[in-house]
Amino acid sequence: MRKKLLLLHCYYPVVVGCSSPAQSKTVQESSQRPIIVQGPMPIEAEKFAQRLKDVKKEKSGTFEFYIGTVNDYPVIVAKTGKGMENTAAATAVAIERYNPIAIINQGTAGGHDPNLNVFDIVLGKRTVNIGSLKTADKDENQGIDPTEWKPMDLMASEGSAGEDPNAEKIRYYQGGKDLLAAANAVKDKYTKGKIVEGTIGSADVWNNEVDRIKWFHNKYGTSVEEMEGASAAQISEAYDVAFLGIRILSNNKVNGGKYNPNTAAANQEYVYEVVKEYISTLPSE
């Protein structure tokens, strides 16, 4: 029997997590650091939360955390809200507050790869910010050409991004090897579509222009796009926490795949199997 994680609670909303030294010490000394499963919207988080045992709910700002167990191991479902800023903040709060061993950012996404269909799932071998871009240098009346825009790596240096040539390279956040292995180990349990490793693109932009989508697919190698994963990956990397994005295609404009809201629940069912498999690889007590 695995020992449940003991948590002290903050009773007031916080911006960067609990500030109590006693709380931090309790979390850090636990031999079972929790797994955090993120979902942006209720439809993408609450089905998984319903599977947790011994659940209690905490809130920080607008972020909601469902704290429970899966197979007697601590798992926290975080409802982050939509968008990069919400997700980055929710990830920082969760790391500071709960000291997780791993973070899985999951939910729905729009397809970029014409070979992928609605209900197919992409495991984020890489996650990339497709909204951090530097425009071409054009004067008045010279027009706008988004195909000339360059990637802008905000993590390349502490100086101006315009002064560092490395800042114009695409930054990919790599999926955690152990998490990827767990996800691949249970692929056969998912029967509603295929599961592939790929590149998840994220931005506070909803792309509906097929030529624009194809440009990202060709330039960045994106399989799907959503609005959260890269920010969670960036914060996870900053704290050295294992991270994996798992996204299901809810639609695919490049091949005519129509939106299906049932994909959100299907993805959570699969992610639940991934979490159980990952737990089985962790040292037991």
Side-chain angles (χ1 to χ4, degrees):
M1 181 70 68
R2 296 177 185 271
K3 187 167 58 181
K4 295 176 184 175
L5 179 69
L6 297 177
L7 296 172
L8 297 180
H9 307 295
C10 289
Y11 292 99
Y12 299 96
V14 292
V15 176
V16 294
C18 297
S19 59
S20 166
Q23 189 272 344
S24 299
K25 183 177 180 181
T26 300
V27 173
Q28 291 170 2
E29 288 182 351
S30 171
S31 59
Q32 290 187 321
R33 297 165 61 195
I35 300 163
I36 291 181
V37 178
Q38 298 177 320
M41 299 185 294
I43 192 175
E44 296 167 300
E46 292 179 353
K47 287 290 185 182
F48 196 109
Q50 291 170 7
R51 289 176 171 264
L52 298 178
K53 303 296 184 184
D54 305 318
V55 179
K56 50 190 172 184
K57 183 177 173 181
E58 293 186 348
K59 191 170 183 179
S60 180
T62 60
F63 315 127
E64 295 179 350
F65 302 96
Y66 298 85
I67 302 164
T69 63
V70 172
N71 289 356
D72 297 309
Y73 191 90
V75 175
I76 300 172
V77 173
K79 189 165 61 176
T80 64
K82 293 186 289 185
M84 302 283 273
E85 294 82 6
N86 276 331
T87 304
T91 304
V93 168
I95 293 173
E96 291 280 355
R97 192 166 186 168
Y98 303 116
N99 189 30
I101 193 170
I103 294 175
I104 297 175
N105 179 276
Q106 61 81 44
T108 58
H112 280 199
D113 186 339
N115 296 314
L116 296 177
N117 300 307
V118 175
F119 279 100
D120 288 346
I121 292 175
V122 176
L123 306 177
K125 186 174 183 180
R126 306 187 303 181
T127 303
V128 60
N129 187 337
I130 59 172
S132 182
L133 297 162
K134 181 179 179 181
T135 72
D137 187 8
K138 292 179 180 288
D139 291 329
E140 187 176 5
N141 297 322
Q142 288 186 330
I144 301 169
D145 187 357
T147 62
E148 293 186 16
W149 296 358
K150 299 176 182 179
M152 186 167 59
D153 180 5
L154 301 178
M155 306 299 290
S157 71
E158 295 184 1
S160 170
E163 298 173 353
D164 188 343
N166 290 321
E168 294 183 357
K169 296 179 180 178
I170 301 171
R171 176 179 287 267
Y172 293 101
Y173 299 97
Q174 304 299 317
K177 291 181 180 179
D178 292 341
L179 289 167
L180 264 176
N184 280 305
V186 295
K187 284 198 303 186
D188 292 344
K189 294 186 178 182
Y190 182 73
T191 59
K192 296 178 180 178
K194 61 180 175 286
I195 296 178
V196 300
E197 293 185 1
T199 300
I200 297 173
S202 311
D204 280 330
V205 178
W206 188 313
N207 290 294
N208 276 320
E209 299 166 321
V210 171
D211 288 342
R212 178 76 168 160
I213 293 169
K214 288 182 175 180
W215 182 78
F216 278 121
H217 178 60
N218 293 329
K219 185 176 180 66
Y220 288 74
T222 48
S223 309
V224 292
E225 72 166 53
E226 35 88 316
M227 301 176 71
E228 294 86 22
S231 62
Q234 179 178 325
I235 300 302
S236 296
E237 183 172 296
Y239 282 90
D240 195 25
V241 176
F243 174 87
L244 182 65
I246 301 178
R247 291 286 177 157
I248 190 168
L249 274 75
S250 59
N251 71 297
N252 193 346
K253 195 170 179 67
V254 299
N255 63 17
K258 302 299 182 183
Y259 173 72
N260 189 326
N262 296 325
T263 51
N267 198 54
Q268 289 167 83
E269 291 174 7
Y270 168 67
V271 173
Y272 183 73
E273 297 299 326
V274 175
V275 169
K276 290 194 297 181
E277 176 65 22
Y278 182 67
I279 289 170
S280 73
T281 68
L282 299 175
S284 59
E285 294 184 348

